[in-house]
Each structure stands twice: as structure tokens, then as C-alpha cells.
Amino acid sequence: RALRDPHRPRFHFTSPGGWLNDPNGLSHWNGVYHLFYQYNPLAAAHHRIHWGHATSTDLVHWADEPVALVPGTDGPDRDGCWSGVLVDDGGVPTLVYSGRHGEHELPCVARGSADLRYWTKDPANPVITAPPEGIDITAFRDHCVWREGQVWRQLVGSGIRGAGGTAFLYESDDLRGWRYVGPLLTGDASRSQGELDWTGTMWECVDLFRLGEDEEADSTDVLVFSAWDEGTTHHPLYWTGHYKDDTFTPTALHRLDYGGRYFYAPQSARDEHGRRIMFAWLQEGRTDEATAEAGWSGVMSLPRVVTLGADGRLDQAPVPELTALRRECEEVAPGALTEPYTRLGAVRGDQLDIETTLRLAPGSTARLVVRETPDGAERTVVEVSRTHDGGGTLLLHRETSSLDPTVDIEPRYGELPLGEDGRVDLRVLVDHSALEIFANGRALTARVYPTRPDEAMGVGIGADGDVALERFAAWQLASACADGPRPLWP
Ligand code: FRU
């Protein structure tokens, strides 16, 4: 069933079947990329989570590996092995993850075989037996662990009731015994900031890393988290700032991906080439019933490289390795976009990589339509626009992306920094129901589910106002996954 589903992506990683959520344990170990993920092989539902595992040497093609972590028959992870990370403990690959038992989620540790395939849970689990005492917390789970001088440090995602989301800082000599240091930073649970960058009542999947670390003086620390509240996954955000001693001094708070919950629970790692690579979970936008019927749920984002932009924010781009999937290319000659819309007869498909450079005069809008049916009844519209006072916006219209009244078709949008003379470098990756948009380093990820997926292949461009098309190229992208069935439990 999962194989025949026309909404199933072909160059994004998906689980063999069943349920997938967060990326975990990201690492580049002896030349091999390891992607672990929150996995329920038994059903397309978030229940009794295992750790799935896949490996790749090029970040494009993935091989399924044996399920890495299975919830215990008893013990602290009997109800699930939740999100965590992989660290190198003096040559021994070691996982730190959240064991779930009833309502309790506590840090656990497992040691891996040299090939990272087989994992042995520590008999002393959980390695932290209770959240910090005397604090009324909203939750306590997910981990960020790193080596600092002679010690290990760890962040655990949490929230202080009435105050806001937070990350608790711990320290250890051996990854087994942990001393509580204190909250690294606490957000603001009041909704005063507005909905789109509300920091929630709990921070899931905290991820702290340094960018520009080779240029000492200019380095910036980034604290990524996913804002959560009472069982609702809101969106990924990040603070830029400086981490020193036991505190993080924030400079600013930003949205990580304008798709919100469609790019949730990101985790990153530095690869052996020194790049910061990030993955996240693309949630479904269709009903639980439709998902159960499809037999699979959840898409892993394309790996992205994150760097520090000139404006002090994160610049995001898909890893360059993905261009290996490019096949036939169609180009559109440069010139002014004079029509509000023109269908491009030569470009069509549901696996596409489109790159275009546009110049927007003040007060203009350019649009790129994908996944359009021949009658135009279903179409997904990416818009970039420039206001008269120079600001830019990136907007994804999904209102007409599907005639199915049960799927999510809310638009998505965010602020777009414009280049010189209103320049916009736009890249749109279409992979069946998965859509990843990059515009001048900002990202917007979402899902679309046309009801006539086999016909929703059309692509077109157009503009209102004065827009110059400087470049347009669209490639067909090959599938990255094999066609045959994949065992749910390799
Ligand atoms: C985020 C999350 C994490 C948790 C995991 C459970 O999506 O809820 O907080 O560890 O997923 O699968």
C-alpha cells in the first residue's frame, strides 16, 4: 500500500512503513552518515516508539539498517525510546535518549557496536532519575550532549510552569552520573510575542551549536528548539547569542522554517567536512484516518546545510549532493515576466528541482505554480513579493493545493530579505506531497495532497508588476529509494 501511495516522496527519506517522526543520533562516523529516527514499525501512529536507522555515504541514497533501539519489556523505556543523540565516548558510539515509562521520560544511555548497528542499554538506566527538584515542570525530554574540556555537558528540553520553555543544563564525567547545573535559558510562556514566534510552554529537541567556530572572534551560538504546548507541536525557533560558562545570552529569536510544524524537531550535527547538517520531521497534513489507510506516516526533510548569514541569521540550503539526482533540464529564457501567469508546457512533474533568479521592483510579486492539474482546479502557488517600502515576503498558497476538504491547506508565509535590486534566488523542491522552498537562505517546508496526484504535474510562472526573470532551470529528479518493498524490521 505504502509503495503505491502517490503522495509518498521518492527522494526524501521515509520509513519502510509505519510511523516516522524526529531525526535522532545524527552523525558522520568513519565516512558514513547515520540517520536514526523515531519509528513505530507496527502502525502509522505515534505509539511505542523505536529507533529506526539508515545509513548513507552521500546524504542522498539511504540503506535501511536493523532497528537500533526497541522499547524494553520492562525498565525505564518500556513505553518508548524517545528522542536523543549519538556521541563519541572515547571511540565508543553512545546514545543518550529519553526512556518513556508511563508519564515519565528520563535520560537513558546505550553503547553501540563499532558499526553502530547493535546497541546495549546501560543496566544503570535511567542515568538521571528525576527532573530537577523543586521546579514545577511541564515536561522533561530530548537531549543535546557535547564534550567541553574534561567534562560532558547535556541539555534536556523542558518548561517551567508559568514561566516558559527551557533547557536544563547538566554536567558529567562519564555520561552515567550527572550533576544538575541549572536552566540555560528560559522563554516566555505568555503569548505576548505573537503566534508565529511564540516560544511555547515546553522546548522539545533542543540543539545547541556554534557557527563560525573556526573564526573564534566571530562565532555565534545557536540554540534551536521546537515550541510545544499541551500536546500540540507548534514550530521550530532558534535563538542566536553567546553560550559561556553556564548561561546562554541571547541576541535574537527567529523562526527557523516558515512551514512551522512541517519542519519540526530539527536536529543537526557537524559532519567530517566541517559542515553543519540539519534534518527535521515533515509531519502529515492529512487526517489520521487517511494516514492509517496509507500505511505510512512522516517524511524526513532533505539534509540542509546551515551557515551564518551576513545578517546574523541562519542561511539554509539543501546539501549540494542532491544535484546528483538531477536528470533532464528545461530552461526558460531570461526576460521580463509580463503575464500574471503562463503554464510552462515543457516543464511538468512531481519530482522536480526548480531554480530561478528574479528581480523584483518595489510593489511587485512573482509566482511559481507547481502541482497544477490541467484544468487548474488544483495548484500550489509559491509567491515572492516586494513592498513599496522595500520589505519582502515569501508566501506559500495551499488553499487550492487540494480539493480534499479534510487536508490542511492553510497558507504559510514569512519575511524574505531581498538582495541587491530586489534579487531573489528561489529554489523549490517538489517530491510528491513534500515541498521544500528556499528563498535567499530562508526556508519554508510543507505538504500538499492534490486529489488528482497523477494529473497535478503542471508548472507555471508569472508576475504582477515589474519582475525580471534572470534565470530559470527545472530538473526532473530521479528517485533516491529502491522500488521494491522494504522490510519493516530489517
Ligand atoms: C518531538 C517529540 C519529542 C519526543 C519524541 C517522541 O516530536 O515529541 O519531544 O522525544 O517526539 O517520539
Side-chain angles (χ1 to χ4, degrees):
R1 257 184 322 175
L3 283 172
R4 284 199 307 269
D5 182 357
H7 296 301
R8 190 162 159 96
R10 307 290 293 160
F11 61 86
H12 282 74
F13 180 79
T14 52
S15 73
W19 171 275
L20 166 151
N21 61 297
D22 311 356
N24 292 147
L26 295 179
S27 47
H28 196 195
W29 190 280
N30 295 330
V32 178
Y33 289 98
H34 292 263
L35 168 66
F36 300 84
Y37 55 93
Q38 296 278 286
Y39 181 36
N40 178 9
L42 300 180
H46 186 250
H47 179 65
R48 214 151 176 275
I49 292 291
H50 300 50
W51 275 39
H53 182 197
T55 51
S56 172
T57 50
D58 62 2
L59 288 171
V60 178
H61 302 90
W62 294 92
D64 292 315
E65 299 289 346
V67 171
L69 290 178
V70 178
T73 45
D74 51 24
D77 65 5
R78 68 185 76 173
D79 294 318
C81 302
W82 282 21
S83 286
V85 291
L86 188 152
V87 292
D88 181 348
D89 184 11
V92 180
T94 303
L95 303 180
V96 181
Y97 67 99
S98 294
R100 183 176 169 94
H101 174 200
E103 293 303 301
H104 299 279
E105 287 140 9
L106 293 169
C108 294
V109 166
R111 289 166 65 94
S113 56
D115 59 7
L116 279 60
R117 281 201 172 107
Y118 305 103
W119 298 87
T120 309
K121 296 175 189 174
D122 200 294
N125 283 339
V127 294
I128 296 175
T129 53
E133 249 170 73
I135 307 179
D136 186 8
I137 59 163
T138 51
F140 186 70
R141 60 171 172 269
D142 312 334
H143 314 269
C144 176
V145 181
W146 67 97
R147 190 84 188 152
E148 198 172 311
Q150 293 310 302
V151 295
W152 292 100
R153 289 201 137 191
Q154 164 168 212
L155 292 176
V156 183
S158 189
I160 301 172
R161 208 174 294 284
T166 191
F168 291 127
L169 180 61
Y170 287 82
E171 202 167 81
S172 172
D173 301 318
D174 58 3
L175 294 168
R176 306 313 193 266
W178 291 91
R179 300 177 289 278
Y180 173 57
V181 178
L184 182 74
L185 179 71
T186 304
D188 179 1
S190 77
R191 288 176 182 260
S192 59
Q193 310 104 305
E195 200 52 44
L196 293 175
D197 50 12
W198 182 45
T199 56
T201 56
M202 192 252 158
W203 292 355
E204 295 199 290
C205 304
V206 287
D207 187 20
L208 174 66
F209 53 88
R210 180 158 293 173
L211 287 179
E213 54 199 316
D214 302 324
E215 303 107 65
E216 269 313 326
D218 293 332
S219 73
T220 291
D221 295 311
V222 181
L223 181 62
V224 177
F225 63 96
S226 292
W228 182 92
D229 176 51
E230 305 285 350
T232 302
T233 54
H234 282 258
H235 41 236
L237 299 171
Y238 66 96
W239 298 96
T240 51
H242 292 282
Y243 162 68
K244 196 165 186 291
D245 302 325
D246 303 335
T247 39
F248 184 94
T249 308
T251 313
L253 175 72
H254 302 288
R255 297 168 68 195
L256 182 67
D257 187 296
Y258 299 148
R261 71 174 196 94
Y262 289 106
F263 189 83
Y264 198 76
Q267 187 182 103
S268 71
R270 198 173 191 218
D271 76 358
E272 290 171 349
H273 312 299
R275 302 180 298 178
R276 174 69 40 190
I277 310 279
M278 179 180 280
F279 288 82
W281 166 40
L282 276 58
Q283 304 195 41
E284 294 300 323
R286 52 183 172 179
T287 63
D288 293 348
E289 292 71 26
T291 299
E293 172 63 23
W296 67 281
S297 173
V299 174
M300 195 56 71
S301 73
L302 298 172
R304 8 184 116 153
V305 183
V306 298
T307 51
L308 201 57
D311 59 359
R313 302 199 189 183
L314 295 187
D315 244 323
Q316 305 175 57
V319 292
E321 284 91 328
L322 287 162
T323 57
L325 295 174
R326 288 178 175 176
R327 297 294 180 265
E328 307 79 62
C329 179
E330 289 291 338
E331 290 184 320
V332 175
L337 288 180
T338 50
E339 300 294 322
Y341 183 61
T342 309
R343 175 88 55 87
L344 300 173
V347 185
R348 38 185 283 114
D350 50 13
Q351 290 181 208
L352 295 170
D353 183 358
I354 303 170
E355 265 185 16
T356 175
T357 299
L358 302 153
R359 291 233 187 232
L360 275 64
S364 69
T365 295
R367 62 183 60 85
L368 172 62
V369 175
V370 295
R371 305 243 44 196
E372 186 176 36
T373 53
D375 61 0
E378 294 187 314
R379 61 208 299 257
T380 298
V381 187
V382 180
E383 271 183 6
V384 290
S385 53
R386 180 177 176 186
T387 59
H388 285 284
D389 55 26
T393 306
L394 169 64
L395 173 62
L396 173 67
H397 283 292
R398 295 189 301 161
E399 301 91 307
T400 52
S401 63
S402 176
L403 295 172
D404 178 348
T406 69
V407 305
D408 177 27
I409 53 166
E410 292 252 307
R412 289 285 193 271
Y413 57 90
E415 181 240 340
L416 175 67
L418 296 170
E420 214 170 301
D421 298 327
R423 179 180 170 132
V424 178
D425 287 296
L426 179 67
R427 175 132 178 230
V428 177
L429 290 128
V430 177
D431 189 7
H432 300 266
S433 61
L435 198 61
E436 296 199 39
I437 302 164
F438 299 87
N440 290 353
R442 299 294 151 82
L444 194 165
T445 305
R447 306 290 300 276
V448 293
Y449 304 88
T451 59
R452 288 147 55 198
D454 299 338
E455 293 177 43
M457 299 278 181
V459 174
I461 47 175
D464 299 327
D466 183 1
V467 175
L469 180 84
E470 297 202 340
R471 175 167 178 258
F472 182 104
W475 290 264
Q476 301 291 331
L477 282 199
S479 298
C481 49
D483 268 325
R486 293 154 63 192
L488 287 174
W489 200 294

